[in-house]
Amino acid sequence: MPTHVVEKNVADECGTLLAFLDAQRGGVRRSVLGLTDEQASTRPSASELSLRALLKHVIGAEREWVERARGMAPESFEESMAGWEEGWRPSEEETVAVLLARWDEVAARTERFVRSAALEDTFPLPEAPWLPQASRVSMRWLLLHLIEEIARHAGHADIVRESIDGKTAFELVDEEARVRERGEAGRV
């Protein structure tokens, strides 16, 4: 991980977990820094992944897991899988800028929700062949799962970005800092 999370309050476990989650979001966000929509849509590696597809997927995954924790999950496994498949295909209107703005909204909702709950509160896991049946997990599990999910895809994004223009995650951290110093538009 090219950035480090500073624990602001050792007694605020939720805040620390949210900070780690935001650090992983930053890895994905930085992967599209300075790219055009066309560049972010390319698939320069052996996989089918583009940065726009990864971006759309992680936003949808975060939103869906939080909705599930709130009791607003898809009705069926088939419905959930259809949403998952669609979550990899950004539309023409879903530009990098649109997706990043959407993620800001999703991230804010995630933080409001988890801060309104206790980390020990639970919700049921979805029915899926790869998950234990009739299991419940905590809000702590939710945050750890989101960190894991987004971190995995941040690694994918690092590889895709480096394949596009050779920039590494460390170079993008430096570039992001320069953009912030100049006060350039928008959150990275």
Side-chain angles (χ1 to χ4, degrees):
M1 179 165 75
T3 61
H4 296 282
V5 174
V6 176
E7 190 172 41
K8 293 181 181 170
N9 177 353
V10 297
D12 181 11
E13 181 182 4
C14 184
T16 298
L17 291 169
L18 285 165
F20 272 91
L21 176 58
D22 200 50
Q24 298 311 313
R25 288 183 192 120
V28 177
R29 293 180 76 90
R30 279 187 297 278
S31 74
V32 296
L33 182 63
L35 295 181
T36 65
D37 288 313
E38 182 179 31
Q39 289 171 307
S41 299
T42 62
R43 297 183 298 212
S45 69
S47 93
E48 293 279 325
L49 296 177
S50 73
L51 292 173
R52 272 181 64 213
L54 279 166
L55 187 57
K56 181 174 179 170
H57 170 72
V58 294
I59 295 164
E62 181 173 340
R63 185 190 67 246
E64 186 173 317
W65 275 106
V66 171
E67 286 175 358
R68 179 168 300 286
R70 294 177 63 205
M72 301 167 34
E75 306 245 343
S76 69
F77 175 73
E78 292 76 19
E79 187 178 79
S80 183
M81 288 308 299
W84 181 85
E85 289 173 9
E86 182 59 32
W88 288 100
R89 294 189 291 271
S91 69
E92 288 293 318
E93 295 78 31
E94 291 174 310
T95 64
V96 168
V98 165
L99 290 168
L100 290 173
R102 182 181 302 159
W103 207 359
D104 286 341
E105 294 168 8
V106 168
R109 282 196 306 268
T110 297
E111 181 163 354
R112 280 192 305 273
F113 173 68
V114 297
R115 287 201 176 274
S116 73
L119 290 175
E120 294 76 23
D121 289 349
T122 65
F123 64 95
L125 280 175
E127 288 187 31
W130 52 86
L131 294 172
Q133 296 300 305
S135 294
R136 295 185 70 81
V137 293
S138 67
M139 295 302 153
R140 181 180 291 104
W141 182 96
L142 169 69
L143 287 170
L144 290 167
H145 179 67
L146 290 174
I147 292 166
E148 172 190 50
E149 171 85 8
I150 295 171
R152 172 179 293 263
H153 293 310
H156 295 142
D158 287 344
I159 292 166
V160 174
R161 175 58 188 257
E162 193 169 352
S163 298
I164 292 171
D165 66 2
K167 288 191 179 176
T168 67
F170 290 100
E171 290 172 294
L172 292 168
V173 167
D174 290 342
E175 188 172 326
E176 176 187 39
R178 287 191 302 275
V179 167
R180 288 187 193 281
E181 284 173 12
R182 291 189 308 257
E184 292 182 5
R187 180 171 174 239
V188 177

